[in-house]
Structures are given as C-alpha cells and as structure tokens.
Amino acid sequence: MSNKILLVEDDAATAEFIAKGLEEAGFLVDRAANGRDGLFLATDGGYGCIVLDRMLPGLDGMAVLAALRGAGVETPVIILSALGSPEDRIKGLTSGCDDYLVKPFTFAELLARIRLLIRRGAPSAPGPDTVLRCDDLEMDLLSRRVRRGERAIELQPREFRLLEFLLRHVDQVVTRTMLLEGVWDYHFDPGTNVVDVHLSRLRKKIDEGELRRLLHTVRGAGYRIGPEP
C-alpha cells in the first residue's frame, strides 16, 4: 500500500494547500501543474492515489484519465472539479475515475476519501454518535455537557467544537490543516497561533489536576487525544 500521492492541479494556491495537508498527514506528494506532466508522472504506477483536477491546461483531466485507463494504469483516481451537476458526476464516474469531488470541498473530506481508496475493501465507518468518549472524558452532543470523571468541564463554543473534532479522531494524529478546516472553517493557513492558543486553553481544562494526560502535542505532526502510550 503506497503512501505516495500524485496531485495534478494547475491552481498554485489550491495545490499548495492540498499538498501541505497531505504531507502533514504522512503522505509523500508529487505535483504536476498541467495534464501532460501529470500523465507522464502517473504512468509510473507507483502511487497509492491520484488527485486529478478536471480542467487543466495542455491536456484536461478527462483526457488524462482516459489515457491512463487505456494504458492499463489502475491507480485509484479522485477527480476534483467545479463542475458538479449530476451529468458531470456521471460522466466522470463512468470514464474510469474512482471518486468525484466537487469544488469547493474540505480538506478533511478529501483526506478521508483518499484513505478509503487506498485501503479499499475496509469496512465503512460507523454513523455519528451522540456521546463521544476517551478514557474518562465524556462529551454529550445533545445536552452539550462535558465531564471528566465526576468533574464537569465548562467550554466556550469554539472549545466545544475543537474537543468534538478531536474526540471523533481518538488516538489519531490531527494536523493543523485539519483543525483549521474542521473547527474554524479556514481553507488556508492564516499564519497565526489560533490553534495553539485554543488547544492550550482546552488542555488546561481537560488535564489540569489529573493523573493521566489525554491531550498531547505530536512534535512536527499535530495533536492527539487519547491515553498516554
């Protein structure tokens, strides 16, 4: 199972954002800014997944896809496109792509789809829970109450969203890019320490005075909620 991703995207800002997020998630990323370069790289066959913009200079994404499938390259392909009508989706899916994601999209959704394609055949994720838990930390989404053992924890709305996001990824490394998109709805890095400030406040409320720390910083990668190893 390869952790190499080929990203074929001509918009420099979009490509930079996606590549940064994928690298933070542990993938190796090769990039191409036009269809011809993308096709040349894709025929190598060493990629776990290809993320392919539909409207590209030189050779559009549908032509790249047709050439790949015609050459027997079966690497999973996700098409990215601003064209989102049912007809556009059907055309993409019947032309040999494995998934079709309409712009604008969230990075978290793209990452989830990439991982699903790479580990194709794995059981699907369960539906959302109304009570999220990690060790003795419990969040009730309906009553919006948070407790650690017998201790009630009061959270501000943004802290609540931050903790909910983390609890949906227990024992997984969550990157800054994922938090900025999932909690702040930013599709770019604002270049501030907003994530670190809120995580510091949340850590104090969750872990201060407790024997077991649950919220950890993973140096150079992101953050993780879960018992210490």
Side-chain angles (χ1 to χ4, degrees), residues 72-163:
V73 177
E74 297 299 327
T75 305
V77 173
I78 298 178
I79 283 186
L80 305 181
S81 180
L83 304 175
S85 71
E87 293 78 12
D88 290 321
R89 291 171 183 260
I90 291 169
K91 182 178 180 181
L93 291 169
T94 56
S95 297
C97 77
D98 299 87
D99 205 346
Y100 192 105
L101 190 56
V102 177
K103 296 178 178 179
F105 54 86
T106 66
F107 175 76
E109 181 179 6
L110 174 62
L111 179 62
R113 291 181 182 223
I114 289 172
R115 285 174 168 163
L116 182 62
L117 286 179
I118 289 177
R119 64 171 187 267
R120 182 180 290 168
S124 59
D129 295 320
T130 59
V131 178
L132 305 177
R133 296 182 179 86
C134 174
D135 198 71
D136 61 346
L137 177 65
E138 180 177 290
M139 167 181 276
D140 190 316
L141 299 176
L142 298 181
S143 67
R144 297 189 69 81
R145 293 176 180 171
V146 178
R147 306 188 65 85
R148 177 139 191 209
E150 299 301 317
R151 176 170 63 91
I153 299 175
E154 297 294 329
L155 297 178
Q156 297 297 318
R158 187 74 68 180
E159 294 168 342
F160 190 93
R161 288 183 62 188
L162 179 57
L163 181 59

Side-chain angles (χ1 to χ4, degrees), residues 143-198:
S143 67
R144 297 189 69 81
R145 293 176 180 171
V146 178
R147 306 188 65 85
R148 177 139 191 209
E150 299 301 317
R151 176 170 63 91
I153 299 175
E154 297 294 329
L155 297 178
Q156 297 297 318
R158 187 74 68 180
E159 294 168 342
F160 190 93
R161 288 183 62 188
L162 179 57
L163 181 59
E164 178 185 352
F165 192 93
L166 290 166
L167 286 174
R168 292 192 183 278
H169 299 82
V170 171
D171 279 329
Q172 300 177 27
V173 175
V174 176
T175 68
R176 284 176 55 86
T177 300
M178 294 170 67
L179 291 174
L180 285 169
E181 280 204 322
V183 180
W184 280 269
D185 200 30
Y186 288 164
H187 301 284
F188 60 94
D189 190 337
T192 69
N193 63 345
V194 62
V195 173
D196 306 285
V197 169
H198 279 79

